[in-house]
């Protein structure tokens, strides 16, 4: 049955007056001509784009570039948009690369069928970008368009973004984009984002910027963080600020191999928050061997860091008790410095 399209190469092959060899040559010639036309069109567009630098500078140039890109991509196919972006990406710097990224996102979004929430070809193109600034910008701009997706659609995206660095960047970008929106949009998917972000260095930073509801289920985030020190310390930071008693109760249940490095990271990350958690843990009672062991472990490894949280402990008796523990470990390593710290803290 004859295909229902007007492809000239098909019509050509139906012409019985041409030899098989002639037909093949004509098909190849037509294909090459199409490639030349496409390359010529893109070359002209690149020339027109770069000529804008002769007309304006600074913010005015950025505006003209964005206007040009938005007008231009309206007449291009998805492949041409991708090829044009590849040709232009080095014309942008770190401050304005988002102009190109937003244009690409807008164009792909308008070209994709409404039912196609995950455009795998586009995601692969993002993932394979070698320019790290452009790649990072594309991921962020894409995340702002997908921050309200459900876990099923997010899972499909993470499947394409298979390497850990891209997953971390995408998860953090969704979280950052969501920070300015009503948190309910991402509420249910947040544990999934944390779990998929791997070690999650960038995701951990994003967590610290989010204003979680005070009644948020932080325990689900602790479990999602798994064995990631950055993620767990970031979650503990936010949980301690919202509900130190609940955070302390959960800490006791965490595997010490995970908790100890996460707690040390928290001490460096936010001494005040760590101080609150230490204070609450200590008031749970001397019979709590796990609390004592945790404080002893950190005091032994890094007494100077743990000492920095002591001023944040509001209860005087708890503060002095923790200080005595830390001092005893610190003095075995550097008594002069430990004595000076003790004097400075308690002679005020």
């Amino acid at each position: 049955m004859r295909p229902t399209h007007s492809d000239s190469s098909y019509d050509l092959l139906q012409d019985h007056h041409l030899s098989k060899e002639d037909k093949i040559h004509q098909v190849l010639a037509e294909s090459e001509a199409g490639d030349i036309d496409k390359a010529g069109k893109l070359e002209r567009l690149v020339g027109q784009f770069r000529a804008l630098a002769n007309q304006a500078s600074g913010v005015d140039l950025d505006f003209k570039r964005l206007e040009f890109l938005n007008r231009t991509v309206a007449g291009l196919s998805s492949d041409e948009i991708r090829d044009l972006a590849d040709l232009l990406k080095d014309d942008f710097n770190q401050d304005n690369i988002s102009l190109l990224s937003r244009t690409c996102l807008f164009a792909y979004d308008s070209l994709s069928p409404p039912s196609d929430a995950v455009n795998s070809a586009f995601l692969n193109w993002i993932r394979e970008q070698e320019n790290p600034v452009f790649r990072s910008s594309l991921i962020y701009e894409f995340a702002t368009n997908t921050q309200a997706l459900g876990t099923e659609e997010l899972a499909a995206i993470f499947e394409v973004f298979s390497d850990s660095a891209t997953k971390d960047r995408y998860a953090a970008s969704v979280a950052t984009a969501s920070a300015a929106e009503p948190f309910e949009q991402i509420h249910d998917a947040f544990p999934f984002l944390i779990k998929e972000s791997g070690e999650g260095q960038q995701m951990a930073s994003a967590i610290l910027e989010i204003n979680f509801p005070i009644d948020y289920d932080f325990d689900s985030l602790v479990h999602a963080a798994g064995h990631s020190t950055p993620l767990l310390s970031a979650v503990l930071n936010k949980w301690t600020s919202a509900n130190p008693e609940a955070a302390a109760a959960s800490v006791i249940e965490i595997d010490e191999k995970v908790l100890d490095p996460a707690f040390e990271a928290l001490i460096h990350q936010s001494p005040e928050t760590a101080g609150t958690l230490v204070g609450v843990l200590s008031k749970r009672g001397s019979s709590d061997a796990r609390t004592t062991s945790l404080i002893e472990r950190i005091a032994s490894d890094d007494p100077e860091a743990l000492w920095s949280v002591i001023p944040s402990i509001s209860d005087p008796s708890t503060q002095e008790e923790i200080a005595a523990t830390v001092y005893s470990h610190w003095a075995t390593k550097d008594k002069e410095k430990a004595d000076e710290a003790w004097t400075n803290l308690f002679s005020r």
Side-chain angles (χ1 to χ4, degrees):
M1 181 177 180
R2 180 183 173 120
T4 57
H5 59 66
S6 58
D7 188 339
S8 59
S9 61
Y10 175 85
D11 295 331
L12 177 64
L13 289 172
Q14 299 309 301
D15 188 348
H16 62 276
H17 297 297
L18 295 174
S19 70
K20 182 177 180 182
E21 186 175 320
D22 288 338
K23 293 172 188 175
I24 292 173
H25 283 313
Q26 287 197 29
V27 170
L28 291 175
E30 243 186 40
S31 175
E32 289 172 1
D35 289 341
I36 291 171
D37 288 346
K38 176 183 174 183
K41 178 169 67 172
L42 293 179
E43 186 177 340
R44 287 193 300 275
L45 291 175
V46 170
Q48 292 168 8
F49 176 86
R50 289 176 177 162
L52 295 174
N54 299 324
Q55 304 173 21
S57 61
V59 176
D60 290 338
L61 176 59
D62 286 345
F63 178 78
K64 283 184 177 294
R65 283 174 161 177
L66 183 59
E67 185 182 44
F68 175 86
L69 289 169
N70 287 337
R71 183 175 68 251
T72 300
V73 299
L76 300 180
S77 68
S78 58
D79 287 344
E80 288 172 330
I81 293 167
R82 183 187 62 200
D83 292 344
L84 181 63
D86 285 335
L87 292 169
L88 290 179
K89 61 180 180 290
D90 293 331
D91 287 67
F92 293 85
N93 58 35
Q94 191 161 0
D95 294 329
N96 60 19
I97 192 70
S98 60
L99 299 176
L100 182 60
S101 303
R102 288 172 191 167
T103 303
C104 293
L105 263 295
F106 175 79
Y108 266 89
D109 188 53
S110 64
L111 289 167
S112 298
S115 60
D116 185 13
V118 180
N119 187 323
S120 296
F122 179 54
L123 298 190
N124 277 313
W125 176 66
I126 292 178
R127 184 172 56 84
E128 292 165 4
Q129 285 300 313
E130 294 181 359
N131 182 320
V133 177
F134 185 44
R135 182 171 179 267
S136 181
S137 179
L138 280 169
I139 292 172
Y140 178 77
E141 296 299 335
F142 178 69
T144 62
N145 287 2
T146 54
Q147 65 191 74
L149 292 180
T151 53
E152 186 175 335
E153 292 166 320
L154 288 171
I157 293 170
F158 278 114
E159 188 173 341
V160 179
F161 288 162
S162 54
D163 63 289
S164 57
T166 305
K167 284 185 172 185
D168 183 24
R169 173 61 177 159
Y170 175 66
S173 296
V174 172
T176 301
S178 303
E181 302 292 336
F183 190 77
E184 289 72 19
Q185 285 192 5
I186 196 70
H187 186 286
D188 294 336
F190 210 84
F192 178 78
L193 284 174
I194 289 181
K195 183 179 179 181
E196 288 293 323
S197 66
E199 279 297 308
Q201 293 281 357
Q202 294 187 62
M203 185 60 173
S205 298
I207 290 170
L208 297 175
E209 299 300 319
I210 292 176
N211 293 319
F212 290 92
I214 194 167
D215 60 345
Y216 188 78
D217 178 17
F218 285 99
D219 194 48
S220 66
L221 302 190
V222 167
H223 286 91
H227 287 70
S228 168
T229 295
L231 288 173
L232 185 56
S233 62
V235 171
L236 290 177
N237 186 318
K238 302 302 289 189
W239 198 359
T240 302
S241 298
N243 190 336
E245 291 288 349
S250 180
V251 159
I252 300 305
E253 304 301 321
I254 299 173
D255 183 338
E256 65 181 75
K257 292 180 180 178
V258 182
L259 177 61
D260 289 352
F263 203 95
E264 288 186 44
L266 179 61
I267 287 170
H268 292 283
Q269 181 186 84
S270 176
E272 184 175 353
T273 305
T276 301
L277 191 52
V278 168
V280 174
L281 283 169
S282 299
K283 287 191 289 186
R284 289 172 64 84
S286 57
S287 61
D288 192 336
R290 179 70 192 280
T291 299
T292 303
S293 174
L294 174 63
I295 294 172
E296 289 275 358
R297 158 82 167 76
I298 297 173
S300 176
D301 281 1
D302 196 346
E304 189 169 359
L306 186 53
W307 188 271
S308 69
V309 312
I310 293 175
S312 303
I313 300 174
S314 57
D315 181 67
S317 61
T318 302
Q319 184 187 67
E320 188 167 351
E321 180 183 344
I322 298 297
T325 300
V326 178
Y327 172 84
S328 65
H329 287 279
W330 198 359
T332 62
K333 298 182 177 184
D334 190 336
K335 189 173 186 307
E336 184 177 345
K337 205 167 185 179
D339 287 343
E340 181 182 357
W342 183 277
T343 299
N344 290 339
L345 181 63
F346 291 107
S347 63
R348 294 174 295 173

